[in-house]
Amino acid sequence: MRAFAEREIRPHVREWDASEHFPIELLPTLARLGLMGVTVPAEYGGSGLGYIPYVIAIEELARVDGSVALVVAAHNSLCTNHILLAGSEQQKKKYLAPLAQGEKLGCWSLTEPGAGSDAGGTRTTARFEGNAWVLNGSKTFTTNSHYADICVAMAVTDKTKGKHGISAFIVEKGTPGFRPGKTEDKLGMRASNTGEIVFEDCRIPRDNCLGDEGQGFIDSLRVLDGGRISIAALSVGVAQGAFEASLKHSREREQFGRPIASFQAIRFKLADMATEIDAARLLTWRAAALATQGKRVTRESSIAKLFASEVAVRAAGEAVQIHGGYGFIKDYPVEKFYRDVKLCTIGEGTSEIQRLVIARESLGR
Ligand SMILES: Cc1cc2nc3c(=O)[nH]c(=O)nc-3n(C[C@H](O)[C@H](O)[C@H](O)COP(=O)(O)OP(=O)(O)OC[C@H]3O[C@@H](n4cnc5c(N)ncnc54)[C@H](O)[C@@H]3O)c2cc1C
């Protein structure tokens, strides 16, 4: 993974970020490496690996480019994993192989303009009409929105039942009434694609309801348990990239006649970064190991995601500081780590929401 990221991604990182280029040309290679269906069992065309190889892969991609890691994480952990967790045998057979083999790219739409942290406030509707589901509404902030071939989207099927009235649906690109809307112009992760998804009287076959009717929101929470492990891994990768750049710069940069690495103030920053990144990685691997064993990881994935993302934001900030003025310009990699990493404390549940989850899991309510 490291050799691949260094060879095929590193040379393009700055240009892709500047031009917001979505690296679609990488997908066949990512697929050949088994990265498009890492945890999908071989019987459905996947790599059949557990979460540990998956988090190592995400970390290694993010160490070089957070955007590529985010594209892969959204495809694997959100879209593909929702179908794996909740799909019927027929849905798994139909959709998992093309997703896992990289023939199709996936996206997952839960968030709406009025339903972010409070995703249960979903307004997009799906009504059953003449043997088909008809979807209306719009989703926001969907990763891979404009490039995805398969979208898993949540919509209200019974508004009297609150969170138990939200269902999940599989929508294929090209379905009339289904289209991407506005593309977001972002602070970071600029080579990943984030945008709106619009449903206008979008008719999809009855069989494309994913999981039991009314179970879509509950299944989404299970999907996010896995997804948060990948955001933790992504955080560790960005932090590791920022740390390594800081080691290099502090050895090379001389002030007052000696390398800045000889100053205790810089050494202490590097020591804190090393310690926190190791701790974040171990929390991520613990959650990954438990997920591989099929255990419930709500608490462990939230802890890993909260800690790793906040560590990574700190590490990227210290990396800029260690670089001084050079940390503020685009000739050096750390300003991009600093911009990219902020997403990790927001996406798949903000740090505040992780704290609510961890407290609830600890208190039992
Ligand atoms: C680049 C990017 C990619 C994304 N990809 C996807 C995707 O693929 N699919 C998808 O469905 N979504 C995606 N999201 C959406 C993301 O998950 C949401 O942005 C996130 O859950 C926060 O929701 P929000 O933006 O509406 O913020 P809000 O919910 O409006 O939160 C605003 C602030 O209020 C705080 N807050 C809210 N409620 C509480 C509370 N109860 N207690 C304490 N504090 C609270 C939050 O922590 C935050 O600080 C993406 C977002 C971004 C930026």
Side-chain angles (χ1 to χ4, degrees), residues 150-162:
I150 294 171
C151 174
V152 171
M154 273 37 80
V156 177
T157 42
D158 185 346
K159 70 171 186 249
T160 65
K161 292 193 176 150

Side-chain angles (χ1 to χ4, degrees), residues 96-139:
L96 287 179
L99 284 166
Q101 287 162 15
E103 289 156 22
K104 301 220 160 148
L105 182 67
C107 71
W108 189 79
S109 288
L110 175 64
T111 307
E112 295 187 1
S117 298
D118 181 17
T122 296
R123 295 239 177 96
T124 296
T125 57
R127 62 173 200 281
F128 195 64
E129 197 183 273
N131 214 28
W133 290 100
V134 183
L135 273 62
N136 277 290
S138 70
K139 297 284 177 182

Side-chain angles (χ1 to χ4, degrees), residues 70 74 78 107-119 139-144 154 184 186 188-189 192-195 224 343 345-353 356:
L70 184 62
L78 299 179
C107 71
W108 189 79
S109 288
L110 175 64
T111 307
E112 295 187 1
S117 298
D118 181 17
K139 297 284 177 182
T140 191
F141 295 153
T142 295
T143 301
N144 299 341
M154 273 37 80
E184 302 300 347
K186 305 192 293 292
M189 300 288 192
S192 77
N193 162 254
T194 314
L224 285 170
L343 172 70
T345 64
I346 297 169
E348 301 202 27
T350 61
S351 288
E352 291 76 14
I353 295 304
L356 291 182

